[in-house]
Amino acid sequence: MASEDVKASESAVEKIVSLAEEAKLARQEIRPTSHAVISICKSLVAGGVAGGVSRTAVAPLERLKILLQDLSRVQVQNSHSIKYNGTISGLKYIWRTEGFKGLFKGNGTNCARIVPNSAVKFFSYEQASKGILYLYQQQTGNEDAQLTPLLRLGAGACAGIIAMSATYPMDMVRGRITVQTEKSPYQYRGMVHALSTILREEGPRALYKGWLPSVIGVIPYVGLNFAVYESLKEWLVKTKPLGLVDDSTELGVVTRLACGAVAGTLGQTVAYPLDVVRRRMQMVGWKDAASIVTGDGRSKASLEYSGMIDTFRKTVRYEGFSALYKGLVPNSVKVVPSIAIAFVTYEQVKDLLGVEIRISD
């Protein structure tokens, strides 16, 4: 009996030890997974905060750009004989006719779009850059190889396409809400109302009007943003011109803001004509668009575009090549701080959250 009790006790102890070892192994497997999930969440939060802060900071200039750019044979302003002689005069007119709230009209919807867009964009760039770097290292056989500007451009393009596609319906709604003025005969009362109205009157496909030129425009825009920003930072760290970088190899906030401004300006200038085309295509099918954006006084033809190429052709034919760059100046003024603030805010928030900053390897 005693020997049987001893054997039973030993068997129970062995089982307990075995279960303890299995639990330990399970915890070791779960811990990296939990850490990875937390890291992903922090990265998404940092990207979302960066997008919201940067876009709100330049919301008045975004509103002015939309009014200068959107959307018909000429511009929104021409339908009401509104004359903007420049950025300052345009902002003053909006303030005088619509008040302080007019400067931020559409910003809530804009942030509802840009926060997830920015979160997905930064996170997608990190993952795409890691994947591309791994493939590049495998192809070259050099484990110490680093991303080149061209590879960064590719990673940025992938991130931009993913983010744009995921949040495009919000961009569509934001464009229509922002283009409204006090004299518009029909008013969307908000994001939800605009979404339901578009779905009811135009169908689900209407939410993706202008998607193709948007995706095409995202390739140089987001691609150049990341490629120029990262490459410029890398060059400054290596060359240390004008004493901009000390021995710590860390760029200051002002220097990083300047890098972001250069990156944003180059990317936006290249992609701007596609942005104009996208906005115009988004208005096709909106029955009240013609009353908001009629012709230039010489024609009252309805707004009809059959596709991206047709939009390009008609815009250049009736308004000239310069129409593809209408609103570029206020847009450039907006892009300089917006992109710069987004990059720096993203890095600062990730640092605050205790996440390793690896926009590119």
Side-chain angles (χ1 to χ4, degrees):
M1 290 291 293
S3 61
E4 292 180 358
D5 292 340
V6 171
K7 290 181 180 179
S9 299
E10 289 177 351
S11 177
V13 170
E14 289 176 357
K15 188 173 183 180
I16 292 172
V17 171
S18 177
L19 290 173
E21 290 178 350
E22 290 178 2
K24 182 179 179 180
L25 291 173
R27 285 196 301 270
Q28 290 176 346
E29 292 178 358
I30 293 172
R31 194 170 300 159
T33 303
S34 300
H35 177 74
V37 171
I38 293 173
S39 179
I40 290 172
C41 291
K42 288 182 178 180
S43 179
L44 291 172
V45 168
V49 171
V53 170
S54 63
R55 195 50 62 99
T56 300
V58 297
L61 292 170
E62 173 71 10
R63 176 88 201 284
L64 179 61
K65 185 203 80 169
I66 295 291
L67 290 175
L68 287 171
Q69 185 189 75
D70 288 332
L71 271 163
S72 175
R73 295 292 177 85
V74 194
Q75 298 294 337
V76 174
Q77 55 166 312
N78 290 337
S79 64
H80 304 306
S81 299
I82 300 172
K83 301 299 181 183
Y84 299 148
N85 297 319
T87 301
I88 302 300
S89 64
L91 292 174
K92 285 182 177 178
Y93 180 87
I94 295 173
W95 176 281
R96 186 171 64 252
T97 57
E98 302 181 49
F100 178 78
K101 290 184 178 180
L103 295 172
F104 291 87
K105 179 176 287 186
N107 188 54
T109 304
N110 197 24
C111 284
R113 177 191 67 90
I114 201 63
V115 167
N117 179 280
S118 181
V120 173
K121 181 175 65 179
F122 277 104
F123 177 73
S124 297
Y125 178 76
E126 287 185 345
Q127 301 307 308
S129 62
K130 291 176 185 176
I132 290 174
L133 178 60
Y134 174 78
L135 294 176
Y136 181 62
Q137 290 174 339
Q138 294 296 311
Q139 183 181 13
T140 59
N142 181 11
E143 294 183 356
D144 296 325
Q146 298 297 317
L147 287 174
T148 64
L150 185 60
L151 293 178
R152 289 189 180 114
L153 180 67
C158 291
I161 291 172
I162 293 171
M164 170 63 74
S165 299
T167 61
Y168 190 80
M170 298 303 301
D171 182 68
M172 166 70 167
V173 172
R174 189 263 306 190
R176 290 203 178 180
I177 290 177
T178 305
V179 78
Q180 292 179 157
T181 66
E182 294 299 323
K183 297 181 181 179
S184 300
Y186 184 82
Q187 295 284 334
Y188 289 128
R189 297 191 295 272
M191 180 177 62
V192 175
H193 179 246
L195 277 171
S196 61
T197 302
I198 293 172
L199 286 171
R200 184 178 64 255
E201 296 183 355
E202 304 172 45
R205 292 184 61 184
L207 294 176
Y208 279 89
K209 285 179 179 177
W211 177 83
L212 180 59
S214 298
V215 169
I216 295 175
V218 147
I219 294 174
Y221 176 48
V222 179
L224 282 173
N225 281 348
F226 280 106
V228 173
Y229 180 73
E230 290 300 317
S231 299
L232 189 55
K233 285 202 310 176
E234 184 180 61
W235 177 78
L236 290 173
V237 169
K238 288 182 178 179
T239 61
K240 296 179 172 61
L242 305 176
L244 293 175
V245 184
D246 55 25
D247 295 334
S248 66
T249 69
E250 289 291 336
L251 296 177
V253 172
V254 175
T255 305
R256 283 183 287 150
L257 285 171
C259 292
V262 172
T265 301
L266 289 175
Q268 192 60 262
T269 300
V270 171
Y272 195 78
L274 288 162
D275 190 44
V276 172
V277 170
R278 174 189 59 164
R279 294 280 171 222
R280 297 193 173 200
M281 289 180 68
Q282 285 177 346
M283 291 299 138
V284 176
W286 185 13
K287 65 183 179 63
D288 291 293
S291 60
I292 296 176
V293 281
T294 55
D296 57 1
R298 294 174 299 176
S299 173
K300 297 296 182 180
S302 60
L303 178 64
E304 289 295 340
Y305 298 124
S306 60
M308 183 179 71
I309 301 301
D310 183 57
T311 307
F312 264 115
R313 182 176 61 82
K314 288 182 178 178
T315 299
V316 174
R317 177 182 177 183
Y318 292 111
E319 305 170 48
F321 184 79
S322 61
L324 296 175
Y325 285 92
K326 285 182 178 179
L328 178 61
V329 173
N331 187 68
S332 296
V333 173
K334 179 203 71 159
V335 163
V336 168
S338 178
I339 299 299
I341 291 171
F343 275 119
V344 175
T345 301
Y346 177 74
E347 293 174 343
Q348 293 296 109
V349 173
K350 285 199 73 174
D351 184 56
L352 184 65
L353 294 175
V355 182
E356 182 183 359
I357 299 174
R358 294 180 63 188
I359 294 184
S360 70
D361 292 302

